[in-house]
Amino acid sequence: QKEVEQDPGPLSVPEGAIVSLNCTYSNSAFQYFMWYRQYSRKGPELLMYTYSSGNKEDGRFTAQVDKSSKYISLFIRDSQPSDSATYLCALGRLGANSKLTFGKGITLSVRP
Amino acid sequence: DAGITQSPRHKVTETGTPVTLRCHQTENHRYMYWYRQDPGHGLRLIHYSYGVKDTDKGEVSDGYSVSRSKTEDFLLTLESATSSQTSVYFCAISDSQGSGGYTFGSGTRLTVV
């Protein structure tokens, strides 16, 4: 079983839709949870960062973490065509030489 | 991206030739990483560095070497390029390892013909 699984997509929604992106993980040692957004032909950029179970909101974006079930979600409200991008989850843990573990990413297209 | 630059942005090279990609940062971050990104595989770690002259292998290190002689520069070398190394290469930096977010460069699109 891979450490991090992300829905493969792609996902296409109409403008204004609520989008839910999900990742599951198997290692309970993960303590830090991130979402990156990557526009076409650009590098990933950090979108959301959290380290506790529950919800974290930033504008139209909400990151949700459920450590007991080992899944994380990113919700996008009132989606816009400018949200069209690839979204990657990333998980981190403490420890010598530990590195982030990334999901494979899901490509979202928001249709006008 | 602010604080991290990759060069070149695009490169076409022939099979069997050596290629060096450069990552330069101005953030004075300790940790630097090289990833490749391919459809269906996501980001895969090639090599990383946790300080000057301190480097280690990632999950897809065969055929690649790295060097870090200064905090700000992390070089990735394809010793003898093959078509399977055609990819988009990203450098990332971080001031912490597992707990911090990474800042990525804009990428180098490498084509081996």
Side-chain angles (χ1 to χ4, degrees):
Chain A
Q1 181 183 10
K2 291 186 182 296
E3 281 197 301
V4 179
E5 300 270 10
Q6 183 170 5
D7 295 341
L11 183 62
S12 180
V13 302
E15 183 174 353
I18 296 174
V19 176
S20 172
L21 308 176
N22 306 296
C23 286
T24 58
Y25 62 96
S26 57
N27 191 336
S28 58
F30 287 124
Q31 301 173 46
Y32 306 96
F33 308 94
M34 291 153 246
W35 285 95
Y36 284 79
R37 178 176 62 195
Q38 184 178 19
Y39 290 116
S40 181
R41 297 183 174 267
K42 300 288 187 183
E45 57 177 343
L46 184 62
L47 184 62
M48 298 285 286
Y49 177 100
T50 184
Y51 51 84
S52 58
S53 279
N55 293 350
K56 180 178 181 179
E57 209 170 296
D58 183 0
R60 296 184 294 108
F61 298 89
T62 299
Q64 183 179 81
V65 175
D66 184 337
K67 291 185 180 181
S68 61
S69 301
K70 297 190 182 65
Y71 82 81
I72 65 173
S73 298
L74 178 70
F75 298 97
I76 307 174
R77 290 186 301 280
D78 186 26
S79 56
Q80 302 296 307
S82 58
D83 296 327
S84 298
T86 296
Y87 292 82
L88 303 94
C89 61
L91 288 73
R93 55 192 165 190
L94 292 175
N97 292 337
S98 65
K99 298 165 287 297
L100 293 185
T101 300
F102 287 88
K104 289 186 178 182
I106 183 170
T107 298
L108 170 68
S109 175
V110 181
R111 308 185 303 273
Chain B
D1 288 13
I4 178 172
T5 55
Q6 291 184 235
S7 58
R9 291 296 311 276
H10 303 271
K11 186 170 181 66
V12 179
T13 192
E14 293 186 350
T15 298
T17 60
V19 178
T20 295
L21 309 182
R22 182 182 184 233
C23 179
H24 179 77
Q25 61 145 329
T26 58
E27 304 295 322
N28 201 34
H29 284 342
R30 177 180 176 185
Y31 304 99
M32 300 186 75
Y33 309 84
W34 276 108
Y35 287 87
R36 60 177 291 176
Q37 187 175 41
D38 305 284
H41 292 279
L43 288 166
R44 291 184 289 175
L45 182 65
I46 305 171
H47 281 280
Y48 65 99
S49 170
Y50 41 98
V52 173
K53 296 195 188 327
D54 288 325
T55 64
D56 207 347
K57 296 179 180 179
E59 59 183 296
V60 290
S61 59
D62 287 349
Y64 301 95
S65 62
V66 290
S67 67
R68 191 170 179 198
S69 58
K70 299 185 289 185
T71 299
E72 56 266 36
D73 289 324
F74 193 31
L75 304 180
L76 176 71
T77 297
L78 288 66
E79 293 142 9
S80 178
T82 68
S83 58
S84 65
Q85 294 176 311
T86 292
S87 185
V88 182
Y89 291 85
F90 288 103
C91 177
I93 61 174
S94 175
D95 59 1
S96 61
Q97 280 199 298
S99 60
Y102 294 175
T103 300
F104 284 84
S106 298
T108 294
R109 189 168 294 269
L110 177 69
T111 303
V112 183
V113 298

